[in-house]
Amino acid sequence: MAAFDATQPLTMAAGGILSPFTIAYQTYGELNAAKSNAILICHALTGDQHVANAHPLTGKPGWWSALVGPGRPFDTEKYFIVCSNVIGGCMGSTGPASYNPATGEAYALDLPMVTIADMVRAQAMLIDRLGIDALFCVAGGSMGGMQVLNWAALYPERVFSAMPIATAPRHSSQNIAFHEVGRQAIMADPDWRGGRYLEQGVRPAKGLAVARMAAHITYLSEEALQRKFGRKLQDRAGPTFSFDADFQVENYLRRQGSTFVDRFDANSYLYVTRACDYFDLAQDYGGSLARAFKGSRTRFCVVAFNSDWLYTPAESRAIVHALNAGGASVSFVEIDTDKGHDAFLLNEPDFIATTRGFLHGAAKARGLIEKEAAKS
């Protein structure tokens, strides 16, 4: 946990100052003497800092255990991995459930509105605190990919390589629409209490569960849903002709919703979804996405999945075109899979091979491989 006092405020893009504030983070591996092997992993919408260790609330493996660990693409025997919980989150970083020194209660909706850029600037302060001038790589998928793009735009001299995965340079109207359904489900729950539910000892669990159910549909492709569930019934010979969860897919979504509320704060869900909605990197650079990356020396690998309809391959190609126009070094990989948006979180062989190959090439260019060979 990194705590920043009143001498180190975070100026928010939407106005206001956040001070004091904390950033919860996990590290894996060791920082080399030159401090040149650090990788920042940015989590997605409802992720957290527990990228490769058992989650303290659920006991489940880290959300990117398939890629982070000894011998894996993000090799903890070669690299120093940092993953932080974003500002606005609910796993130790300052968010709406955190203590507000001005009132003595939780911030709730008094927390200033958070943007992706705010998350990145807070991460940069953490990286400073860790004594790291430049990152070997910044990587992340979905909302994490937005952070990667913002890192490359805000701090090009601090990012040697970047992997924006299954992401977009801005939120589409469809993305915003799905998020609004989730927010309205939360705020319509009688236990939301205008965001002050913690003070009153309740939680808008039903509304948050519905929000999660609606969002989870967007993380899967139609093919994946059909392959996993089809129209199969749940533990019954025939339909009950009721509103019970007759179908396996209904039961699956209900389970996703009920388990989610045990680890996530409803107001945090409002804040992080809104941060994604406001994300429009081109708008921050006079309407030109290419201008955001002009003259960048960062090496990029942009990854998309052909069955991802939440952040489509076309949106990844728009990033690639902008990087090319800005003169950046970029490779693009579109992976053939029926797993949809969530493919970046799963054991997808082509994606794992792509990540391993990109990092290996970047490590050679950075001189990390030769240095390690010299030590042995």
Side-chain angles (χ1 to χ4, degrees), residues 91-134:
M91 284 299 294
S93 294
T94 297
S98 301
Y99 174 80
N100 181 355
T103 65
E105 303 285 351
Y107 273 105
L109 302 192
D110 290 335
L111 185 77
M113 192 61 69
V114 176
T115 67
I116 300 296
D118 295 329
M119 297 173 182
V120 168
R121 281 191 287 266
Q123 289 166 348
M125 293 173 71
L126 171 63
I127 296 303
D128 289 340
R129 176 71 61 86
L130 295 175
I132 300 167
D133 292 329

Side-chain angles (χ1 to χ4, degrees), residues 133-145:
D133 292 329
L135 292 160
F136 164 59
C137 185
V138 182
S142 195
M143 185 183 83

Side-chain angles (χ1 to χ4, degrees), residues 116-334:
I116 300 296
D118 295 329
M119 297 173 182
V120 168
R121 281 191 287 266
Q123 289 166 348
M125 293 173 71
L126 171 63
I127 296 303
D128 289 340
R129 176 71 61 86
L130 295 175
I132 300 167
D133 292 329
L135 292 160
F136 164 59
C137 185
V138 182
S142 195
M143 185 183 83
M146 295 177 183
Q147 295 165 60
V148 173
L149 294 173
N150 232 152
W151 257 99
L154 286 174
Y155 306 106
E157 73 288 351
R158 301 191 69 176
V159 181
F160 183 78
S161 63
M163 281 195 76
I165 305 158
T167 194
R170 66 175 183 173
H171 240 203
S172 69
S173 58
Q174 178 176 262
N175 298 145
I176 296 168
F178 275 112
H179 277 176
E180 178 62 2
V181 169
R183 287 190 294 265
Q184 288 299 318
I186 291 168
M187 292 187 285
D189 189 318
D191 285 334
W192 184 60
R193 310 285 174 90
R196 292 287 174 187
Y197 49 88
L198 292 177
E199 297 171 19
Q200 299 178 40
V202 295
R203 291 187 306 158
K206 293 179 180 178
L208 181 58
V210 171
R212 175 63 170 180
M213 291 168 67
H216 201 75
I217 297 169
T218 70
Y219 304 153
L220 304 173
S221 68
E222 182 180 1
E223 294 88 346
L225 283 169
Q226 186 64 29
R227 171 171 48 80
K228 288 169 67 107
F229 306 110
R231 290 182 53 83
K232 291 180 282 191
L233 298 175
Q234 178 70 33
D235 300 328
R236 60 203 67 188
T240 63
F241 297 103
S242 71
F243 295 108
D244 193 14
D246 277 1
F247 296 96
Q248 286 185 7
V249 67
E250 293 175 310
N251 188 68
Y252 171 76
L253 289 175
R254 291 186 187 190
R255 187 169 65 251
Q256 287 290 327
S258 64
T259 57
F260 181 65
V261 301
D262 293 331
R263 69 171 182 88
F264 213 83
D265 175 64
N267 281 339
S268 277
Y269 194 86
L270 302 182
Y271 273 82
V272 294
T273 57
R274 206 55 169 158
C276 291
D277 291 348
Y278 284 129
F279 184 67
D280 185 347
L281 192 56
Q283 188 177 52
D284 296 337
Y285 292 86
S288 170
L289 188 58
R291 194 174 297 151
F293 306 114
K294 185 177 181 180
S296 174
R297 296 183 179 179
T298 302
R299 302 164 64 97
F300 290 85
C301 179
V302 180
V303 180
F305 301 95
N306 68 335
S307 57
D308 184 353
W309 59 276
L310 183 62
Y311 298 119
T312 66
E315 291 169 305
S316 289
R317 290 192 195 96
I319 296 169
V320 173
H321 294 327
L323 288 166
N324 284 329
S329 171
V330 56
S331 58
F332 173 59
V333 180
E334 181 178 334

